[in-house]
Each structure stands twice: as C-alpha cells, then as structure tokens.
Amino acid sequence: EQREKDLIAYCLSHPNIVYVVNSIGSWQFEIDIEIENIENFRELIRNFLKNFSDIVSDYSALNIHEEYKFRFFEKEILKS
C-alpha cells in the first residue's frame, strides 16, 4: 500500500505524466504521458521501472500521435 502511494506521488510530480488512474480491469493502473519523442519515452519508462520494479510486473504502451478536439456547439451559445 505504501509503495502504491509512492508510485502515485512519483507520477503526480513528474512533468510529463499528465493523468493517473487506478482502475479495475486488464490494467490496474494507467498513466497518460505527453512527451517529445520516443527516446525520452524510453528513458521515462526505464526510470519508472527501475524505481517500481517491485510492484510493476508488466506494462503496455498505446501511442497516440494526434488528438482531435470536437466542438459540438459554438461558444456564443454560452454567452446568452
């Protein structure tokens, strides 16, 4: 339990980790990382696994290269 708190604290303090979720299902823990390139990603994962290899047994990565923002209505609607 303390190591899980340490892991969450590490994620919250890391500038490239933007979202943390403790979940139920295939993955017990999810983190969203926004990072400049694959080399920096690999370095982050290496450090992460080095620090938490006692509680992290496996991981999988989903690479998202572009995210779209959808607007369903115009901002002017909110003004009225």
Side-chain angles (χ1 to χ4, degrees), residues 38-58:
I38 193 68
E39 291 82 16
N40 291 352
F41 173 76
R42 287 181 183 143
E43 181 66 24
L44 187 151
I45 294 299
R46 266 194 300 271
N47 288 334
F48 186 84
L49 293 174
K50 184 176 87 175
N51 288 319
F52 299 103
S53 62
D54 58 325
I55 60 172
V56 175
S57 59
D58 193 17

Short mmCIF file of all heavy atoms in Angstrom, two decimals, residues 38-58:
data_model
loop_
_atom_site.label_atom_id
_atom_site.label_comp_id
_atom_site.label_asym_id
_atom_site.label_seq_id
_atom_site.Cartn_x
_atom_site.Cartn_y
_atom_site.Cartn_z
N ILE A 38 10.36 9.40 -28.81
CA ILE A 38 10.42 8.02 -28.32
C ILE A 38 11.62 7.80 -27.39
O ILE A 38 11.53 7.02 -26.43
CB ILE A 38 10.41 7.01 -29.50
CG1 ILE A 38 10.17 5.59 -28.99
CG2 ILE A 38 11.70 7.09 -30.30
CD1 ILE A 38 8.81 5.36 -28.45
N GLU A 39 12.72 8.49 -27.62
CA GLU A 39 13.88 8.33 -26.75
C GLU A 39 13.57 8.80 -25.33
O GLU A 39 13.93 8.14 -24.36
CB GLU A 39 15.10 9.08 -27.30
CG GLU A 39 15.66 8.49 -28.57
CD GLU A 39 14.91 8.93 -29.83
OE1 GLU A 39 14.14 9.93 -29.76
OE2 GLU A 39 15.06 8.25 -30.85
N ASN A 40 12.89 9.93 -25.21
CA ASN A 40 12.51 10.44 -23.89
C ASN A 40 11.49 9.51 -23.23
O ASN A 40 11.51 9.32 -22.01
CB ASN A 40 11.96 11.85 -23.99
CG ASN A 40 13.01 12.86 -24.35
OD1 ASN A 40 14.20 12.56 -24.39
ND2 ASN A 40 12.59 14.07 -24.64
N PHE A 41 10.60 8.95 -24.04
CA PHE A 41 9.62 8.00 -23.51
C PHE A 41 10.34 6.78 -22.93
O PHE A 41 10.03 6.32 -21.83
CB PHE A 41 8.63 7.58 -24.60
CG PHE A 41 7.70 6.48 -24.17
CD1 PHE A 41 6.63 6.75 -23.33
CD2 PHE A 41 7.90 5.18 -24.61
CE1 PHE A 41 5.78 5.74 -22.92
CE2 PHE A 41 7.05 4.16 -24.21
CZ PHE A 41 5.98 4.45 -23.37
N ARG A 42 11.27 6.25 -23.69
CA ARG A 42 12.01 5.06 -23.21
C ARG A 42 12.77 5.36 -21.93
O ARG A 42 12.81 4.53 -21.02
CB ARG A 42 12.98 4.59 -24.30
CG ARG A 42 12.28 3.93 -25.45
CD ARG A 42 13.26 3.44 -26.48
NE ARG A 42 12.57 2.88 -27.61
CZ ARG A 42 12.96 3.00 -28.86
NH1 ARG A 42 14.07 3.66 -29.16
NH2 ARG A 42 12.28 2.45 -29.83
N GLU A 43 13.36 6.53 -21.85
CA GLU A 43 14.08 6.91 -20.63
C GLU A 43 13.13 7.02 -19.44
O GLU A 43 13.43 6.55 -18.34
CB GLU A 43 14.81 8.24 -20.85
CG GLU A 43 15.61 8.71 -19.67
CD GLU A 43 16.79 7.80 -19.35
OE1 GLU A 43 17.28 7.08 -20.24
OE2 GLU A 43 17.23 7.82 -18.18
N LEU A 44 11.96 7.62 -19.66
CA LEU A 44 10.97 7.73 -18.59
C LEU A 44 10.55 6.34 -18.12
O LEU A 44 10.48 6.08 -16.92
CB LEU A 44 9.75 8.51 -19.10
CG LEU A 44 8.69 8.87 -18.08
CD1 LEU A 44 7.99 10.15 -18.48
CD2 LEU A 44 7.67 7.77 -17.87
N ILE A 45 10.27 5.43 -19.05
CA ILE A 45 9.85 4.07 -18.69
C ILE A 45 10.97 3.33 -17.96
O ILE A 45 10.72 2.63 -16.97
CB ILE A 45 9.38 3.29 -19.94
CG1 ILE A 45 8.11 3.91 -20.50
CG2 ILE A 45 9.17 1.82 -19.62
CD1 ILE A 45 6.92 3.90 -19.56
N ARG A 46 12.20 3.49 -18.43
CA ARG A 46 13.34 2.84 -17.74
C ARG A 46 13.43 3.30 -16.29
O ARG A 46 13.58 2.49 -15.38
CB ARG A 46 14.65 3.15 -18.46
CG ARG A 46 15.06 2.10 -19.47
CD ARG A 46 16.50 2.26 -19.90
NE ARG A 46 16.78 3.55 -20.52
CZ ARG A 46 16.64 3.79 -21.83
NH1 ARG A 46 16.23 2.85 -22.64
NH2 ARG A 46 16.92 4.98 -22.32
N ASN A 47 13.34 4.61 -16.07
CA ASN A 47 13.40 5.14 -14.69
C ASN A 47 12.20 4.68 -13.86
O ASN A 47 12.34 4.34 -12.69
CB ASN A 47 13.46 6.66 -14.72
CG ASN A 47 14.79 7.17 -15.19
OD1 ASN A 47 15.81 6.49 -15.05
ND2 ASN A 47 14.80 8.35 -15.77
N PHE A 48 11.04 4.67 -14.49
CA PHE A 48 9.82 4.23 -13.80
C PHE A 48 9.96 2.78 -13.34
O PHE A 48 9.70 2.45 -12.19
CB PHE A 48 8.63 4.40 -14.74
CG PHE A 48 7.31 4.11 -14.11
CD1 PHE A 48 6.65 5.07 -13.36
CD2 PHE A 48 6.71 2.87 -14.26
CE1 PHE A 48 5.43 4.81 -12.78
CE2 PHE A 48 5.49 2.59 -13.69
CZ PHE A 48 4.85 3.56 -12.95
N LEU A 49 10.39 1.91 -14.25
CA LEU A 49 10.54 0.50 -13.91
C LEU A 49 11.67 0.28 -12.90
O LEU A 49 11.57 -0.60 -12.04
CB LEU A 49 10.78 -0.33 -15.17
CG LEU A 49 9.59 -0.40 -16.13
CD1 LEU A 49 9.98 -1.12 -17.40
CD2 LEU A 49 8.37 -1.02 -15.47
N LYS A 50 12.73 1.06 -13.00
CA LYS A 50 13.82 0.94 -12.03
C LYS A 50 13.33 1.29 -10.63
O LYS A 50 13.66 0.60 -9.66
CB LYS A 50 14.97 1.88 -12.43
CG LYS A 50 16.19 1.76 -11.53
CD LYS A 50 17.31 2.63 -12.03
CE LYS A 50 17.14 4.01 -11.44
NZ LYS A 50 18.22 4.93 -11.75
N ASN A 51 12.50 2.32 -10.53
CA ASN A 51 12.00 2.75 -9.22
C ASN A 51 10.90 1.86 -8.66
O ASN A 51 10.72 1.79 -7.44
CB ASN A 51 11.48 4.19 -9.30
CG ASN A 51 12.60 5.19 -9.43
OD1 ASN A 51 13.63 5.07 -8.78
ND2 ASN A 51 12.41 6.17 -10.30
N PHE A 52 10.13 1.21 -9.55
CA PHE A 52 8.95 0.48 -9.09
C PHE A 52 8.89 -0.96 -9.59
O PHE A 52 7.82 -1.54 -9.70
CB PHE A 52 7.68 1.25 -9.50
CG PHE A 52 7.62 2.61 -8.89
CD1 PHE A 52 7.91 3.73 -9.65
CD2 PHE A 52 7.32 2.78 -7.56
CE1 PHE A 52 7.90 4.99 -9.09
CE2 PHE A 52 7.29 4.03 -6.98
CZ PHE A 52 7.58 5.15 -7.75
N SER A 53 10.02 -1.57 -9.84
CA SER A 53 10.05 -2.95 -10.34
C SER A 53 9.50 -3.94 -9.31
O SER A 53 9.09 -5.04 -9.67
CB SER A 53 11.46 -3.35 -10.76
OG SER A 53 12.32 -3.30 -9.63
N ASP A 54 9.47 -3.55 -8.05
CA ASP A 54 8.93 -4.44 -7.02
C ASP A 54 7.40 -4.53 -7.06
O ASP A 54 6.82 -5.50 -6.57
CB ASP A 54 9.41 -4.01 -5.63
CG ASP A 54 9.01 -2.58 -5.28
OD1 ASP A 54 9.00 -1.73 -6.20
OD2 ASP A 54 8.74 -2.31 -4.11
N ILE A 55 6.73 -3.55 -7.66
CA ILE A 55 5.26 -3.59 -7.73
C ILE A 55 4.72 -3.52 -9.15
O ILE A 55 3.53 -3.74 -9.37
CB ILE A 55 4.62 -2.47 -6.87
CG1 ILE A 55 5.05 -1.09 -7.34
CG2 ILE A 55 4.91 -2.69 -5.40
CD1 ILE A 55 4.30 0.04 -6.65
N VAL A 56 5.55 -3.21 -10.14
CA VAL A 56 5.12 -3.19 -11.54
C VAL A 56 5.75 -4.39 -12.24
O VAL A 56 6.96 -4.47 -12.40
CB VAL A 56 5.55 -1.88 -12.24
CG1 VAL A 56 5.19 -1.93 -13.72
CG2 VAL A 56 4.91 -0.68 -11.57
N SER A 57 4.90 -5.32 -12.66
CA SER A 57 5.42 -6.54 -13.28
C SER A 57 5.40 -6.48 -14.80
O SER A 57 6.17 -7.17 -15.46
CB SER A 57 4.63 -7.76 -12.81
OG SER A 57 3.27 -7.60 -13.15
N ASP A 58 4.52 -5.66 -15.36
CA ASP A 58 4.39 -5.60 -16.81
C ASP A 58 3.75 -4.27 -17.19
O ASP A 58 3.09 -3.63 -16.37
CB ASP A 58 3.51 -6.76 -17.29
CG ASP A 58 3.57 -6.97 -18.80
OD1 ASP A 58 4.51 -6.45 -19.44
OD2 ASP A 58 2.67 -7.63 -19.33
#
